[in-house]
Amino acid sequence: MKKSIFTMLTLSFVILSACQPQPKPLKDPLKVEVLPLESDLEKHSYALGASIGQIVEDKLNKQKAVEIELDHLLLVQGFIAGMQGKSQLTDKEVKTLNQILDAQVREKTKAIRAQQTAENKAAGLAFLTENAERTGVIQTESGLQYEILRQGEGRSPLVSDTVKVQYKGTLLNGTEFDSSYARNNPASFPLSRVIKGWTEGLQLMKKGAKFKFYIPSELAYGARTTGKIPGNSTLIFEVELLEITPAG
C-alpha cells in the first residue's frame, strides 16, 4: 500500500512538472543577428538602436585605449534596465559614476599623450640630427631641412601670394596623414595661412619645382595633436609647386 501511494505521488509530480512551461535557454545579448527589416517603423527602430550603439562603442574604444575595459554584459543589462525604468542605481548615482569614469579617462589620456609627445620630440630630434648629415639635405637657420628633387623656373612665391600645390605628408614611421595626390586634387591656399615650415619652405621653390621637406615640430603643429598627427611630430612632405598667384 505504501509503495502504491509513493508511486502515485511520484507519477503526479512528473505529470505536473511536464505541464509547467519550461524556461527558454538564454540568448547571448552580445550576438549580432541579421534581422528582417521590412517596415519603415522596423528600420527606424533598428537605426535608433544602431546609433546609440555607435556612440557607446566610441566611448568604449576611448576607454580601452587607456586600459579601462568595462563589463559589456553588465553594460547591456544596465541599458535594458534603464530603458524600462528599473535601474538598480538612482539617477544621481548614475550621473556621479559616469562623471568619475569620464574624469579617469581624461586623466589617463592626458598622461599617455604627454608621454607620447615627449617620445615624439626626442625621436624627431634624433632623426633630424642624422638626416642633416645626408648628402643633398640642406638645413636653414630655423631648423627646416629640405631636399631639391626637381628645380623649377621663374620667381619664388612671396608670403602674400597664393600657391597651388600637390603634396604628400607622412610621419617618421611612414604613416601617410594627408595627400592631395590621393585625392587627385591639388590644394590652393595663401602662403601666410599654413604652418611655418611650409611658409618658409615654399618661398625657396620656383614654379614647377618639387622639394622634400623635413619639418621639426616647432615649425609644424607643436605639442598639440592635430587629426592623425600626434603632438611634437616631425613631419615629412613631398611638395610640387604648380602655380603662384600674386595677392590681389
Side-chain angles (χ1 to χ4, degrees):
M1 183 67 177
K2 288 182 179 180
K3 185 175 180 181
S4 176
I5 294 173
F6 177 77
T7 302
M8 291 177 63
L9 288 173
T10 303
L11 181 61
S12 299
F13 176 76
V14 171
I15 293 173
L16 286 172
S17 298
C19 294
Q20 295 295 321
Q22 298 300 309
K24 296 180 179 179
L26 292 175
K27 290 185 177 181
D28 181 357
L30 300 180
K31 182 181 178 181
V32 177
E33 298 180 2
V34 177
L35 305 173
L37 304 176
E38 298 175 355
S39 69
D40 287 343
L41 189 59
E42 289 174 339
K43 293 176 182 178
H44 287 312
S45 301
Y46 188 90
L48 177 59
S51 64
I52 295 172
Q54 288 167 355
I55 294 171
V56 173
E57 178 68 11
D58 182 59
K59 290 183 72 71
L60 290 175
N61 287 336
K62 290 179 180 178
Q63 293 162 3
K64 189 175 181 179
V66 295
E67 300 180 344
I68 296 177
E69 294 196 51
L70 301 184
D71 187 316
H72 290 196
L73 287 173
L74 282 176
L75 188 153
V76 172
Q77 288 297 312
F79 173 80
I80 294 172
M83 191 171 64
Q84 296 180 6
K86 298 178 181 179
S87 172
Q88 296 175 223
L89 304 173
T90 65
D91 290 347
K92 185 177 180 180
E93 287 174 325
V94 169
K95 183 178 180 180
T96 300
L97 287 167
N98 285 332
Q99 287 175 340
I100 291 172
L101 180 60
D102 288 343
Q104 290 175 346
V105 172
R106 284 195 301 271
E107 288 301 312
K108 289 197 172 188
T109 300
K110 185 178 178 180
I112 290 173
R113 285 184 177 175
Q115 181 179 350
Q116 288 176 341
T117 54
E119 292 173 354
N120 290 339
K121 186 72 173 179
L125 180 60
F127 170 82
L128 292 170
T129 300
E130 183 177 347
N131 193 56
E133 302 299 321
R134 289 198 306 110
T135 302
V137 174
I138 304 167
Q139 180 167 312
T140 68
E141 291 185 7
S142 69
L144 172 69
Q145 296 178 3
Y146 67 95
E147 285 182 272
I148 301 173
L149 305 181
R150 183 178 67 234
Q151 288 284 13
E153 296 180 347
R155 76 174 181 88
S156 297
L158 304 174
V159 176
S160 57
D161 293 340
T162 294
V163 295
K164 184 176 183 180
V165 300
Q166 285 275 37
Y167 68 93
K168 179 178 73 172
T170 58
L171 303 176
L172 292 183
N173 62 8
T175 300
E176 184 178 294
F177 58 82
D178 194 11
S179 174
S180 66
Y181 293 107
R183 295 189 296 272
N184 194 27
N185 184 25
S188 296
F189 47 79
L191 200 50
S192 60
R193 297 185 183 177
V194 289
I195 58 176
K196 294 177 181 179
W198 271 53
T199 301
E200 179 184 355
L202 279 161
Q203 291 182 84
L204 303 171
M205 303 175 71
K206 301 181 189 303
K207 183 178 177 180
K210 184 175 183 179
F211 280 24
K212 192 169 187 176
F213 296 117
Y214 305 91
I215 304 177
S217 60
E218 58 267 24
L219 299 179
Y221 296 100
R224 74 180 187 273
T225 297
T226 305
K228 299 178 181 179
I229 303 173
N232 279 344
S233 292
T234 293
L235 307 180
I236 301 174
F237 283 98
E238 289 185 15
V239 183
E240 290 184 81
L241 179 54
L242 306 179
E243 294 180 13
I244 303 171
T245 304

